[in-house]
Amino acid sequence: MQVITSTRALEAFCKDAAGYDFVTVDTEFLRETTYWPKLCLIQAATPDRAVIIDPLADGIDLAPFAELLANSLVTKVFHAARQDIEIFVKLFGAVPHPIFDTQIAASVCGHGDSVSYDNLVRAVVGTQIDKSSRFTDWAARPLSEKQLTYALADVTHLRDIYAQLRDEIKKTRRSSWVEDEMAVLESLSTYIVEPADAWKRLKLKVSKPRDLAAMQAIAAWREQRAQNNDQPRSRVLKDDAIYELAQQRPTSPEAFDKLRAVPRGFGKSSAGSDLIAVIKEVEARDKSQLPVVPQRPRGPSPKGAIGDLLRVLLKAVADRNGVATRIIANSEDIDAIVLDDDADVPALKGWRRKLFGEKALAIKHGRLALAATRKGIVEIEIEAD
């Protein structure tokens, strides 16, 4: 087992890896007490070699690995890639390219929805991974042999999984399906949260323009403070507190103490002082400067019969095509389709629209019916009067 702790050794590995058409990659990191993930290990494997890279080693420069991630001739294979890629975007300012995510590919190939790496290894390789080291302290040094063995397994088995899924995708001619998903992973915007857009992560629990303006401003303030201080969002301010502050809009330290979701004494802190300034700015805005509260589309309830029928259709389509339901559409997509024929959801775009979206709209407008048979659910076209 090779543990790379020097730039020279890393350069040698990356030069060797650049001669292959793929490299499997995984990371170990800590994030419980920070906004940004703290990278503790990088695992990488070519078809005939696997290494562990120690980013915490004294004097090591990760630039050679950044070059490997950017090499367009080498596919970077991950499992559940989003958090790993977020780390590399933070470190190197760019998204690895090209990417292959085995969790997404497994969903497309019918191995289940958001299948775990452990289950995929068991199904494809026939091996049971020892998970006892999963929640150890990866920042502590030295690392035990058991930790290193566990970490390395995350990329060695991934080689076999990648080979099988790549063959399955080719046989089923679903390359375009996977490419659509990988395009999202390869977009830089997927990993960068602008403070001004932070409110979009919250549920819209306000109905007045000034309340919405306050929610937007407070969420932006929290995001910026969390990033600047490298703190989890919840340690700066919990979501429930944002909703309450947006509606109550306290402008004095004493007023904060009357709120249930805000810690006592918060209004007298430096954070409270900053937040009072943010709220006062919102209060001072002219009505013409306030955002428009999105109106809910009028139509049948997403929780009614049409929504139920679309969920039955989704299950039938997924089963028929041997693909996980969530890779086609999720519950929010279905709700949106019930409310709006032109909803901006993945289920009404590309291959998903052909597979499911068009049929969903046809059912919604009475042009298609579902029937239960011994062979399962079938669709029946309804002739127009």
Side-chain angles (χ1 to χ4, degrees):
M1 180 186 306
Q2 182 183 8
V3 180
I4 294 176
T5 58
S6 71
T7 305
R8 179 175 294 181
L10 181 58
E11 286 176 341
F13 169 74
C14 291
K15 182 178 180 180
D16 178 58
Y20 295 91
D21 62 354
F22 79 91
V23 59
T24 58
V25 182
D26 190 42
T27 65
E28 304 297 340
F29 58 90
L30 298 176
R31 197 176 195 166
E32 287 78 6
T33 61
T34 60
Y35 181 93
W36 308 107
K38 179 182 179 181
L39 179 62
C40 300
L41 279 186
I42 301 173
Q43 304 97 281
T46 63
D48 61 1
R49 184 182 177 191
V51 301
I52 290 177
I53 303 161
D54 186 356
L56 302 182
D58 290 340
I60 193 168
D61 184 351
L62 296 178
F65 196 72
E67 292 180 14
L68 178 62
L69 294 180
N71 188 333
S72 62
L73 300 179
V74 182
T75 298
K76 272 62 68 173
V77 181
F78 298 85
H79 182 82
R82 192 170 293 242
Q83 290 194 83
D84 299 314
I85 295 174
E86 181 186 5
I87 291 171
F88 294 132
V89 168
K90 176 63 176 173
L91 284 175
F92 308 132
V95 179
H97 172 80
I99 292 168
F100 186 96
D101 188 325
T102 56
Q103 187 177 69
I104 291 173
S107 296
V108 168
C109 294
H111 290 276
D113 178 26
S114 299
V115 62
S116 71
Y117 181 68
D118 304 338
N119 289 338
L120 206 50
V121 169
R122 188 160 52 249
V124 174
V125 185
T127 298
Q128 181 70 47
I129 294 178
D130 179 3
K131 299 184 287 185
S132 60
S133 296
R134 173 172 292 181
F135 299 112
T136 55
D137 184 358
W138 293 103
R141 295 295 184 271
L143 293 170
S144 69
E145 192 73 16
K146 187 176 182 180
Q147 284 178 298
L148 295 174
T149 299
Y150 167 82
L152 207 58
D154 284 344
V155 289
T156 52
H157 297 312
L158 198 54
R159 296 178 295 200
D160 297 326
I161 293 170
Y162 171 60
Q164 177 165 319
L165 292 177
R166 183 178 54 186
D167 290 344
E168 287 184 33
I169 289 167
K170 185 177 180 179
K171 289 177 182 178
T172 56
R173 298 180 181 180
R174 292 178 179 176
S175 296
S176 62
W177 297 18
V178 177
E179 287 168 3
D180 283 352
E181 298 305 301
M182 301 309 162
V184 175
L185 286 178
E186 291 188 0
S187 172
L188 190 62
S189 62
T190 300
Y191 309 97
I192 296 178
V193 179
E194 296 292 346
D197 295 328
W199 71 276
K200 296 176 182 177
R201 303 169 64 96
L202 303 170
K203 293 180 180 179
L204 190 60
K205 293 185 176 181
V206 296
S207 57
K208 299 177 182 178
R210 201 169 299 276
D211 291 351
L212 177 56
M215 189 176 85
Q216 292 173 343
I218 296 168
W221 171 85
R222 181 182 70 168
E223 196 74 23
Q224 191 67 68
R225 190 177 181 90
Q227 291 180 2
N228 292 345
N229 296 340
D230 196 16
Q231 290 180 291
R233 295 181 187 92
S234 61
R235 289 202 176 185
V236 177
L237 203 64
K238 295 187 182 298
D239 289 355
D240 287 348
I242 291 181
Y243 301 134
E244 189 174 16
L245 286 165
Q247 294 173 323
Q248 300 300 323
R249 299 194 293 281
T251 55
S252 69
E254 295 73 25
F256 275 81
D257 289 338
K258 298 178 181 179
L259 305 180
R260 291 185 300 174
V262 179
R264 191 152 188 88
F266 183 88
K268 294 182 176 66
S269 67
S270 61
S273 178
D274 291 344
L275 205 47
I276 287 173
V278 169
I279 293 171
K280 284 184 176 179
E281 186 278 326
V282 172
E283 292 286 63
R285 290 186 198 177
D286 186 79
K287 287 185 178 181
S288 63
Q289 298 176 306
L290 299 177
V292 176
V293 178
Q295 297 297 313
R296 294 181 179 179
R298 295 180 179 179
S301 169
K303 306 305 179 186
I306 294 177
D308 291 342
L309 286 173
L310 298 194
R311 286 173 173 81
V312 172
L313 171 68
L314 175 60
K315 181 67 166 58
V317 169
D319 288 347
R320 191 180 308 140
N321 289 276
V323 59
T325 55
R326 282 185 63 83
I327 204 71
I328 301 173
N330 58 31
S331 184
E332 289 75 19
D333 289 350
I334 290 178
D335 289 352
I337 292 171
V338 173
L339 292 170
D340 184 1
D341 288 1
D342 299 312
D344 184 18
V345 294
L348 291 182
K349 299 175 183 177
W351 64 269
R352 292 178 177 85
R353 185 181 183 99
K354 294 179 181 178
L355 196 70
F356 169 76
E358 293 290 356
K359 293 177 181 178
L361 292 174
I363 286 176
K364 176 182 174 181
H365 293 288
R367 300 191 301 271
L368 194 69
L370 298 178
T373 71
R374 291 182 178 179
K375 294 183 179 180
I377 301 297
V378 298
E379 299 106 36
I380 301 173
E381 291 188 14
I382 298 175
E383 295 183 4
D385 293 336

